[in-house]
Amino acid sequence: MNEEFEQKFSLWAAALGPANVNSLLAATSKLELPANRVIIRDRMPVDSLYLILDGEVSITVEENGKAIKLGVIGPGQVLGEVSVLSGEQQASSTVTSLTPVRMLRLRHQAFEDLIAENYAIASVLLQHFVDMLADRVRASMKSFSDLKEGKAPPPQFDPTETLPPTGKNWIKSFFGRVPGT
Amino acid sequence: MTMDLKQFLKTLPAFENFKAADLDVLSEQMTVSSHSAGHVFVAQGRQGEAMYLLMDGTIQSVHVDEATGTLEEARDLHAGEMFGLLSLIEDMPAGWGATAKDAVTVAALSRAVFNQLFGVVAPIAHHLQYMVAVQLARDLQIRNKELRELLKQRAVGTPA
């Protein structure tokens, strides 16, 4: 497990060091899911962070029975950070597995305990989340600005529509990075 | 009357778990100043100069929905509350505006000084970093909501 984590989350592993990687991994549990499984549902409670080790998931937001695709993410990326940090414990998007996925699940309480008890882990995780969230806020602002100026197509899809292949989702490049969950 | 920032910090629940010596260091890094009503500390959509701790008076914090241009939320901040947290992040326009509602006294922490705190009083720096992360997460939720609203508006006007 350590070897795969260090490979997929290389920056975290380098910054944390072996002892803190062990502490972090000890607080997680493994989760394996088949393709086409809803992992997080838009506006429903979320109680965990998910660290993706393998596979790909799609991100969508839902409005009035329609879904807007936001992108596709994979190994080395995290889900659920917005809900834990905002304190609302509520998803702001739907996450669905596109392929079989393997993830590490870190429950919110375990995450809060870790960052309260271990400054090294707190520093690495919080800096990562601040950088990631700042990028996502900037991306969201740029998307908003571009859309307002008519630079992007109006993306409205039926949620049952087949998801596009990875890397061909227009909004993935539009956002640069996927807005958080 | 000169307000003692060291003593003020020690009365705040957000800082109650920190050592007095660390709070002394923090207070030495912050700049206390007074301003009259109407003073604009942070303008929505613009990079702020510093994070502020309100020591006295009232600040009105407002957020205008960028999709509709309407006032989405306005709240009054009182002594002990912080605002302008995203000023601690480089190239990060503020999601909320902040204006003095009456005469106020604030303690300011600039981004440059905040970055130095990690080497001086790491526990407090991490605490502020956590607060920044929380603020970013909340702002992202608001911005994505506004983005959805705009997407919905555009979709409504689009021929099938």
Side-chain angles (χ1 to χ4, degrees):
Chain A
M1 175 55 68
N2 287 39
E3 192 175 331
E4 184 175 22
F5 177 83
E6 287 165 11
Q7 185 185 357
K8 302 294 171 59
F9 289 84
S10 56
L11 292 178
W12 286 29
L16 287 170
N20 288 321
V21 166
N22 287 338
S23 297
L24 174 60
L25 294 182
T28 66
S29 57
K30 293 180 194 171
L31 185 62
E32 296 191 20
L33 294 172
N36 300 316
R37 183 68 59 87
V38 174
I39 302 165
I40 294 172
R41 173 68 75 185
D42 198 1
R43 295 167 199 161
M44 293 297 283
V46 185
D47 68 352
S48 301
L49 290 164
Y50 298 92
L51 286 59
I52 303 175
L53 293 173
D54 195 30
E56 290 188 328
V57 301
S58 70
I59 316 284
T60 59
V61 292
E62 299 173 0
E63 285 287 343
N64 300 328
K66 297 285 186 179
I68 300 163
K69 297 172 190 167
L70 296 179
V72 176
I73 67 170
Q77 294 185 286
V78 181
L79 300 166
E81 79 288 350
V82 173
S83 56
V84 65
L85 289 168
S86 69
E88 293 194 1
Q89 313 282 308
Q90 193 179 55
S92 56
S93 60
T94 293
V95 179
T96 309
S97 58
L98 292 174
T99 66
V101 291
R102 286 189 304 108
M103 302 182 289
L104 294 175
R105 180 179 193 171
L106 179 61
R107 291 192 180 275
H108 287 172
Q109 188 58 56
F111 166 75
E112 288 175 5
D113 290 346
L114 268 177
I115 65 170
E117 294 164 3
N118 187 317
Y119 280 131
I121 292 178
S123 178
V124 171
L125 266 59
L126 288 176
Q127 188 58 56
H128 173 84
F129 287 141
V130 165
D131 291 345
M132 183 173 68
L133 286 166
D135 281 350
R136 290 176 178 180
V137 168
R138 292 186 193 103
S140 184
M141 291 167 64
K142 183 174 188 314
S143 299
F144 185 95
S145 173
D146 286 351
L147 192 61
K148 205 165 186 179
E149 293 170 13
K151 291 182 182 174
Q156 187 171 354
F157 305 94
D158 187 291
T160 57
E161 178 192 357
T162 305
L163 291 165
T166 304
K168 292 187 177 177
N169 188 349
W170 71 268
I171 208 161
K172 185 175 183 181
S173 58
F174 181 50
F175 272 99
R177 283 189 171 192
V178 178
T181 50
Chain B
M1 179 184 71
T2 303
M3 193 168 293
D4 186 339
L5 178 57
K6 289 181 186 180
Q7 291 306 316
F8 185 74
L9 284 171
K10 290 169 187 170
T11 67
L12 300 179
F15 293 97
E16 67 183 0
N17 292 328
F18 298 110
K19 296 175 185 171
D22 286 349
L23 293 178
D24 289 348
V25 172
L26 175 63
S27 67
E28 288 161 8
Q29 302 296 320
M30 300 182 82
T31 305
V32 177
S33 58
S34 295
H35 304 268
S36 52
H39 180 81
V40 177
F41 288 92
V42 182
Q44 182 176 337
R46 299 184 65 178
Q47 174 78 48
E49 294 177 1
M51 179 216 84
Y52 301 94
L53 169 64
L54 181 57
M55 299 175 68
D56 191 30
T58 307
I59 292 287
Q60 186 174 56
S61 181
V62 298
H63 174 76
V64 174
D65 187 317
E66 294 186 20
T68 62
T70 57
L71 180 65
E72 182 73 13
E73 194 170 345
R75 62 176 77 145
D76 284 350
L77 307 180
H78 304 285
E81 296 193 86
M82 286 187 270
F83 60 96
L85 275 164
L86 297 195
S87 305
L88 301 179
I89 305 295
E90 193 172 350
D91 187 25
M92 179 53 61
W96 293 73
T99 304
K101 203 168 180 179
D102 48 32
V104 298
T105 300
V106 298
L109 181 71
S110 70
R111 185 167 66 251
V113 174
F114 167 67
N115 289 331
Q116 292 169 1
L117 285 183
F118 287 91
V120 188
V121 280
I124 291 178
H126 288 310
H127 179 67
L128 293 173
Q129 190 181 37
Y130 181 77
M131 295 179 71
V132 168
V134 168
Q135 187 63 54
L136 279 168
R138 291 176 178 168
D139 274 21
L140 182 57
Q141 284 188 319
I142 291 171
R143 290 187 185 279
N144 280 353
K145 182 182 162 206
E146 291 174 357
L147 180 59
R148 280 185 223 189
E149 183 60 35
L150 188 60
L151 287 166
K152 198 164 65 174
Q153 288 174 11
R154 295 300 165 104
V156 167
T158 305

